[in-house]
């Protein structure tokens, strides 16, 4: 995975400055994790009450139904954001810890995500295909890999116009296991590609928010790849689509 501009800058700084920045970064991680954790419980309560109001078919609440629907949608979005923040914080904190490695049947995992992607596509009627080598497994954490694969697959569905094509592949290439998602979506300008894995970085903020994205999906994907000694490459062209490829070391 190519170093980011931030990583290249860090490498050029004196050691005391690096230690100070790392200390500030740990403080930021702790703050985000603690705030996210504290917000989760009251938000769950609010979401529950709004859901209960929506289920009530009372004359007194009918004039407010549209408002309750909007509140329900926004609490769902906030819950997704908090869960992504907590997952990202956990991955960052565990970055230097050894991964509990198990054999992951990736083809089976992708088959499940393929079905979810078709359901998520809904009325957009994307043409989604899956080609997966059934005997190709890797060592890793199933939950983290599920998050990585789902983020990339569902991003393709979000940013590909209706009836567009999305191809999911799991295959061996030389001494690596490769996961790729190719789409005929809106594409990404070359200037944005180096920053796509930054937290909250959005190529088009308006479009991303409208689609319900948190801006953390690819940041999560980057950290999962780092923990699995993997690498991410992105090829894209505006108006023609994108190809995201993750490469992993093969099982011994």
């Amino acid at each position: 995975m190519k170093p980011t501009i931030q990583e290249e800058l860090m490498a050029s700084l004196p050691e005391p400055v690096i230690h100070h920045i790392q200390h500030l970064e740990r403080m930021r991680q702790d703050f985000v994790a603690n705030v996210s954790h504290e917000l989760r419980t009251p938000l769950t309560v609010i979401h529950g009450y709004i859901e209960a109001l929506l289920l009530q078919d009372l004359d007194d609440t009918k004039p407010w139904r549209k408002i309750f629907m909007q509140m329900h949608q926004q609490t769902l979005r906030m819950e997704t954001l908090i869960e992504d923040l907590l997952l990202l914080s956990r991955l960052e904190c565990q970055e230097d810890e050894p991964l509990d490695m198990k054999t992951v049947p990736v083809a089976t995992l992708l088959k499940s995500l393929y079905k979810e992607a078709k359901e998520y596509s809904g009325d957009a009627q994307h043409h989604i295909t899956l080609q997966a080598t059934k005997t190709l497994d890797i060592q890793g954490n199933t939950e983290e890999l599920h998050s990585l694969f789902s983020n990339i697959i569902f991003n393709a569905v979000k940013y590909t116009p209706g009836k567009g094509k999305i191809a999911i592949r799991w295959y061996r290439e030389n001494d690596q296991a490769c996961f790729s998602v190719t789409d005929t979506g809106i594409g990404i300008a070359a200037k944005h590609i180096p920053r796509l894995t930054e937290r909250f970085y959005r190529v088009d903020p308006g479009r991303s928010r409208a689609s319900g994205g948190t801006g953390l999906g690819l940041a999560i994907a980057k950290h999962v790849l780092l923990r699995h000694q993997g690498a991410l490459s992105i090829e894209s062209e505006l108006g023609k689509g994108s190809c995201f490829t993750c490469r992993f070391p093969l099982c011994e």
Side-chain angles (χ1 to χ4, degrees):
M1 189 182 300
K2 185 179 178 182
T4 64
I5 295 172
Q6 182 182 6
E7 289 167 341
E8 290 176 350
L9 179 62
M10 284 284 286
S12 67
L13 294 173
E15 193 168 331
V17 176
I18 292 174
H19 286 320
H20 181 63
I21 292 173
Q22 288 172 337
H23 175 67
L24 292 175
E25 181 67 9
R26 283 193 296 271
M27 289 176 63
R28 180 199 63 77
Q29 290 171 4
D30 290 343
F31 173 77
V32 171
N34 290 335
V35 169
S36 300
H37 183 75
E38 292 300 323
L39 284 173
R40 183 160 58 174
T41 299
L43 185 58
T44 301
V45 173
I46 294 168
H47 177 78
Y49 280 129
I50 294 171
E51 204 165 59
L53 286 168
L54 282 171
L55 291 173
Q56 298 294 321
D57 189 21
L58 303 174
D59 291 338
D60 290 344
T61 61
K62 283 181 180 178
W64 302 92
R65 189 166 184 82
K66 184 177 180 180
I67 293 173
F68 292 153
M69 286 285 289
Q70 291 174 341
M71 292 169 67
H72 184 259
Q73 290 168 357
Q74 292 305 314
T75 53
L76 276 176
R77 184 180 169 199
M78 288 174 70
E79 284 183 338
T80 301
L81 175 59
I82 286 171
E83 291 304 319
D84 279 357
L85 281 169
L86 287 170
L87 173 57
L88 184 56
S89 295
R90 186 166 70 249
L91 290 170
E92 288 177 331
C93 291
Q94 295 174 347
E95 204 165 82
D96 297 326
E97 296 178 11
L99 191 63
D100 182 20
M101 305 291 271
K102 295 181 180 178
T103 300
V104 180
V106 176
T108 303
L109 179 58
L110 291 179
K111 185 177 180 181
S112 174
L113 287 172
Y114 162 75
K115 292 177 181 178
E116 289 179 27
K118 288 182 75 69
E119 291 177 7
Y120 183 63
S121 172
D123 294 337
Q125 297 181 345
H126 295 99
H127 180 64
I128 305 173
T129 59
L130 170 65
Q131 292 180 318
T133 304
K134 294 180 180 179
T135 56
L136 183 59
D137 299 334
I138 60 172
Q139 295 293 311
N141 178 285
T142 302
E143 182 183 346
E144 292 183 14
L145 290 171
H146 180 280
S147 179
L148 163 66
F149 297 147
S150 63
N151 271 311
I152 293 176
I153 292 170
F154 292 134
N155 272 353
V157 177
K158 286 177 189 175
Y159 299 116
T160 299
K163 299 188 177 178
K165 296 179 181 179
I166 299 167
I168 306 166
R169 294 181 64 210
W170 175 246
Y171 58 99
R172 176 172 181 158
E173 186 175 84
N174 299 323
D175 60 344
Q176 295 178 317
C178 301
F179 163 76
S180 71
V181 178
T182 305
D183 64 58
T184 57
I186 59 176
I188 306 161
K191 66 179 181 180
H192 294 296
I193 291 176
R195 300 191 61 190
L196 287 179
T197 57
E198 293 179 12
R199 304 176 202 89
F200 298 112
Y201 185 80
R202 300 174 186 269
V203 175
D204 183 341
R207 187 188 293 266
S208 296
R209 292 191 182 95
S211 68
T214 63
L216 294 171
L218 290 178
I220 290 170
K222 173 188 173 181
H223 283 280
V224 172
L225 280 166
L226 286 171
R227 283 171 52 76
H228 287 78
Q229 289 80 52
L232 172 67
S233 62
I234 304 170
E235 298 175 17
S236 188
E237 189 174 345
L238 276 176
K240 294 189 176 180
S242 306
C243 179
F244 287 73
T245 304
C246 302
R247 293 180 170 83
F248 301 89
L250 286 171
C251 297
E252 295 294 337

